[in-house]
Amino acid sequence: MPSRARARSYDPAKTRTAVTAQLRRVREAVEGLDEEGLAAPTRLGDWTVRELIAHLAMAVSSVSRLLERPAPPAREVTATGWATATAAHSAAIDTDTRALAADAAGTAGTAGTAGTDPGGLLEREAARFAETAAVAPGDRLLATRVGAMRLDDYLVTRCVELVVHADDLTAATGVPVPHDRQALATTARVLADALAAKAPGGSVEVRIPPFAVVQCVEGPRHTRGTPPNVVETDPLTWIRLATGRLAWVEALESARLTASGDRADLSAHLPVLG
């Protein structure tokens, strides 16, 4: 399994296409939002929709910004490692997000300066992404918040950011933001591997059809037949569980999740992404 052997690999071309496709769907969803919609609350603390959109723009703009900086000497973090390390940087991420949202609204910087509307902000970052990510080599190292990462790995994490927060945007606005299939698959796999890294072992098999299967949690490892402890759910439910958007009990009670076996309760290991 990817969690016990080599790191899972992702097709670089498909990843770049998935980031572009998911960003386009987010842009389309925010185009019709008025000031009331932008000021609406989200499920992310006291962030409004405006801050959420700014964070999405920042997630993409970081690719260009990091490519402009000197490359670090050696790789330190993979996409899986990123997923389990981001929570430690939540305060800095929050500060940067609020600053960008304020600037986009025209409330920061020189008095009288016009802000950039959220749709325009995302459009600008989409253009920058196309110019930089399309030509940069995948093995280029980036000095990210959590450590030095390959560009290809960092683009995988951009899929995660866009998919997770597109779902947040849907919850906040009531406007469905469709998920690109490749971006959804990538996100489900990264978060499954992060669970396996956080709770290593082979006693529980987690199935997220059609995208991922991992084994985790210490205990007896099955070698053939049906495992004694199985958890199964759909990709979006898994993503919500892995990011703390959905409680384990709620997922069970709604029948969006099945868990069999005395070790199959994974609530103590969730969320895996802060």
Side-chain angles (χ1 to χ4, degrees):
M1 306 301 296
S3 59
R4 304 199 312 267
R6 60 182 177 84
R8 190 191 300 271
S9 62
Y10 297 87
D11 184 297
K14 289 182 178 179
T15 300
R16 296 180 194 216
T17 299
V19 171
T20 300
Q22 190 61 57
L23 180 57
R24 181 178 65 251
R25 295 182 184 196
V26 170
R27 287 168 52 201
E28 291 169 351
V30 306
E31 283 177 353
L33 293 177
D34 56 17
E35 283 301 315
E36 182 178 359
L38 293 172
T42 71
R43 59 191 181 188
L44 302 174
D46 61 353
W47 278 10
T48 64
V49 170
R50 187 183 296 279
E51 273 99 27
L52 174 54
I53 294 170
H55 182 72
L56 281 160
M58 189 173 72
V60 178
S61 69
S62 63
V63 178
S64 300
R65 287 188 283 103
L66 291 171
L67 283 169
E68 292 170 355
R69 300 174 183 174
R75 182 187 190 186
E76 298 171 327
V77 184
T78 65
T80 302
W82 167 89
T84 56
T86 53
H89 302 271
S90 58
I93 292 170
D94 178 71
T95 297
D96 291 347
T97 294
R98 292 178 189 278
L100 180 58
D103 185 59
T107 59
T110 305
T113 300
T116 304
D117 69 277
L121 181 63
L122 290 172
E123 183 176 359
R124 181 186 71 193
E125 298 309 336
R128 290 182 66 197
F129 178 82
E131 291 173 359
T132 57
V135 298
D139 61 356
R140 166 66 150 83
L141 290 177
L142 307 178
T144 76
R145 293 181 193 271
V146 301
M149 297 181 67
R150 287 168 51 102
L151 173 61
D152 282 348
D153 284 339
Y154 193 65
L155 293 180
V156 167
T157 73
R158 300 309 87 188
C159 279
V160 178
E161 291 274 11
L162 287 166
V163 166
V164 170
H165 292 307
D167 191 45
D168 291 332
L169 191 60
T170 294
T173 65
V175 178
V177 184
H179 286 110
D180 173 76
R181 179 179 171 83
Q182 184 64 38
L184 186 69
T186 296
T187 302
R189 290 164 181 159
V190 170
L191 295 177
D193 289 347
L195 171 66
K198 182 178 181 180
S203 68
V204 180
E205 184 163 286
V206 180
R207 301 171 179 174
I208 310 158
F211 298 138
V213 178
V214 296
Q215 292 182 3
C216 59
V217 182
E218 290 184 354
R221 186 187 307 275
H222 80 281
T223 57
R224 64 177 64 185
T226 302
N229 302 282
V230 177
V231 173
E232 184 165 341
T233 189
D234 63 274
L236 192 53
T237 297
W238 163 242
I239 290 167
R240 290 169 178 166
L241 283 165
T243 59
R245 271 67 172 177
L246 179 66
W248 179 265
V249 172
E250 183 182 351
L252 279 174
E253 291 178 347
S254 65
R256 286 177 283 180
L257 169 77
T258 59
S260 60
D262 57 5
R263 294 176 180 267
D265 185 344
L266 299 179
S267 58
H269 307 294
L270 298 172
V272 295
L273 177 67

